[in-house]
Amino acid sequence: MSEALDRARAAHEAAAALGRTTDSQRTAAVVAAADAIQAATPAILEANARDVERGRAAGLPEPLIDRLLLTEERLRDIAASMREVAALPDPLGRVVEGRTLASGVRMERLTVPLGVVAMIYEARPNVTADAIALTLRSGNAVVLRGGTAAHDSCVAIADAAREGVAKAGLDPETIQLITSEDRAETVELMHATGLVDVLIPRGGASLIQTCVRESKVPVIETGVGNCHVYLERTADVAMARDIVINAKTQRPGVCNAAESLLVDACAADELLPDVLVALHEAGVELVGDEACRAVAQRAGVPMGEATAEDWGTEYLDLKMSVHAVDDVDEAIAHINRYGTGHSECIVTSDLAASERFLAGVNAAAVYANASTRFTDGGVFGLGCEIGISTQKLHVRGPMGIDALTSTKYVLRGDGQVR
């Protein structure tokens, strides 16, 4: 028997009892897990230092090192996010709809847990804590499969959370972490039908597509973010510069960072120079089409030649493609062709262009005059997120506790037969 199947079976056995716990019990367990993680800060930081050291030795790019790195402040923020999740309204037992049927049978549709949620993720130790908080609060057991790069950090966080949950009086077996680094365990988890109810991969395109292709368990696609900022011809230059710099450079290694800049060709000479200079000064490598390279040259900013592959690339680094379009319709068409359905932005002073863009772009989050960096469970009031779904079923966008529930019909009669 593989470790993955052992862990999935243990989670499956613990899930039923967890689903019957009260709101106050689950709330207390999440708070206790947060307290335990914060109390274990020295041990977690020591484990994280080993991961970061290995990552740097292996040549992991700095944006990914940043995603891997934990600090006292980041651990405080993680614990605070968990407590925010604990304070949210109970997602279980809500009556979504209710009515009396023609037969006199009284029908209600109630929210219930999914059961066992499996997570496969890469160099993101915070996901361990986020997933534990969200699954506990929504009455689900969880099986965690962290990446090798964050192995020691994930183990330390999960161990602390299990201790906290046990102190709160709930079964720590609802939290399972696969510790083996054998990739075969990942495949076993993807094939654990009957034990795992849903699989949520969180990482790069390769990981997500492998899970979609190979998994026998239902998968919710998350996170790949080839996000665009489009400068429509009426955009304010200062606003455009601020939004692009924030979207690209604040944290370039995350999925809601912008990877591509679009601009109306007729206004490129007015809109691009200040933006390109600011990007260059921030250390961003630029590649673009012929028209945009000409503008960059006049502005004294180096820009390489973009290939067709660049339009669809999630760099997760200080690199950005730049492309000129004729108008808002061409921008929409380009984004819908090359985007990943994550987060897209238009900068404009034209209300009609704004509304056309918001309606026409096929993405989970579409912005007018605001950075794509706002697509985040904490920012959206969810406490934290288990991922950002880029598909349409059964949930789309940042996924909080409500996304980890299903529904069932409860019917009460007085002896009716059909």
Side-chain angles (χ1 to χ4, degrees):
M1 185 68 70
S2 73
E3 183 190 1
L5 291 181
D6 283 344
R7 300 284 185 184
R9 181 166 286 105
H12 181 73
E13 291 173 355
L18 180 62
R20 294 192 296 269
T21 54
T22 65
D23 178 35
S24 60
Q25 286 176 308
R26 285 179 277 109
T27 298
V30 175
V31 171
D35 291 345
I37 287 171
Q38 196 159 0
T41 291
I44 294 171
L45 292 182
E46 183 179 338
N48 183 249
R50 295 193 297 270
D51 288 334
V52 170
E53 183 179 358
R54 285 195 301 268
R56 287 205 164 102
L60 202 64
E62 278 304 313
L64 298 187
I65 291 290
D66 176 67
R67 206 161 59 181
L68 173 62
L69 179 67
L70 294 174
T71 63
E72 287 191 22
E73 181 181 3
R74 287 186 178 184
L75 279 174
R76 282 196 299 271
D77 290 345
I78 286 169
S81 293
M82 295 178 73
R83 296 184 187 105
E84 287 179 26
V85 171
L88 292 172
D90 188 5
L92 302 182
R94 289 189 293 107
V95 179
V96 177
E97 63 174 318
R99 63 181 184 272
T100 300
L101 304 181
S103 61
V105 173
R106 298 174 299 282
M107 181 188 76
E108 290 181 328
R109 185 157 65 96
L110 307 177
T111 55
V112 296
L114 292 172
V116 176
V117 176
M119 285 285 300
I120 300 176
Y121 51 105
E122 295 176 319
R124 305 162 183 254
N126 64 294
V127 173
T128 304
D130 292 349
I132 288 169
L134 292 165
T135 53
L136 264 178
R137 190 72 184 87
S138 55
N140 295 285
V142 66
V143 183
L144 300 162
R145 174 56 159 167
T148 301
H151 178 272
D152 290 6
S153 306
C154 294
V155 170
I157 291 170
D159 285 349
R162 284 170 59 92
E163 289 180 12
V165 168
K167 286 180 180 178
L170 295 190
D171 186 356
E173 294 301 296
T174 58
I175 302 169
Q176 298 291 329
L177 175 74
I178 299 169
T179 58
S180 170
E181 297 184 30
D182 187 345
R183 292 189 177 185
E185 298 293 348
T186 304
V187 176
E188 292 284 1
L189 185 60
M190 289 190 287
H191 292 178
T193 54
L195 298 176
V196 173
D197 294 283
V198 66
L199 172 66
I200 304 174
R202 188 166 172 184
S206 177
L207 168 66
I208 292 168
Q209 290 309 310
T210 297
C211 290
V212 171
R213 184 175 60 251
E214 301 292 338
S215 181
K216 296 180 180 178
V217 174
V219 174
I220 299 177
E221 294 183 53
T222 69
V224 176
N226 182 28
C227 305
H228 299 72
V229 177
Y230 164 49
L231 310 183
E232 192 267 340
R233 65 195 67 190
T234 65
D236 176 80
V237 174
M239 181 189 292
R241 181 187 62 243
D242 292 347
I243 287 175
V244 172
I245 288 297
N246 179 261
K248 176 69 258 182
T249 69
Q250 192 207 23
R251 287 195 72 184
V254 295
C255 60
N256 59 16
E259 306 288 18
S260 189
L261 176 63
L262 304 181
V263 62
D264 277 348
C266 66
D269 281 314
E270 291 76 35
L271 295 176
L272 273 187
D274 282 2
V275 175
L276 296 182
V277 168
L279 287 168
H280 177 60
E281 290 176 348
V284 178
E285 177 189 352
L286 298 167
V287 294
D289 59 22
E290 183 177 357
C292 294
R293 292 199 308 276
V295 176
Q297 185 177 23
R298 289 191 288 274
V301 174
M303 181 182 291
E305 183 177 355
T307 66
E309 184 178 347
D310 282 303
W311 309 137
T313 297
E314 182 188 31
Y315 299 115
L316 297 174
D317 206 344
L318 288 172
K319 185 174 181 179
M320 194 173 208
S321 63
V322 189
H323 179 55
V325 296
D326 286 339
D327 53 25
V328 65
D329 289 327
E330 187 177 340
I332 292 169
H334 181 92
I335 290 169
N336 287 345
R337 177 178 179 184
Y338 294 105
T340 52
H342 195 294
S343 300
E344 309 292 355
C345 166
I346 182 175
V347 184
T348 181
S349 298
D350 184 332
L351 179 60
S354 170
E355 294 305 309
R356 192 174 187 87
F357 184 89
L358 296 175
V361 168
N362 180 21
V366 191
Y367 294 85
N369 298 327
S371 171
T372 58
R373 287 284 289 119
F374 285 103
T375 307
D376 176 86
V379 174
F380 281 16
L382 307 179
C384 54
E385 67 195 27
I386 204 162
I388 297 174
S389 171
T390 53
Q391 65 184 45
K392 297 179 182 179
L393 295 176
H394 85 123
V395 65
R396 197 178 196 190
M399 295 187 292
I401 54 175
D402 289 336
L404 299 179
T405 64
S406 182
T407 60
K408 72 175 180 182
Y409 288 95
V410 174
L411 298 107
R412 297 179 175 87
D414 299 300
Q416 290 92 335
V417 296
R418 181 179 178 185

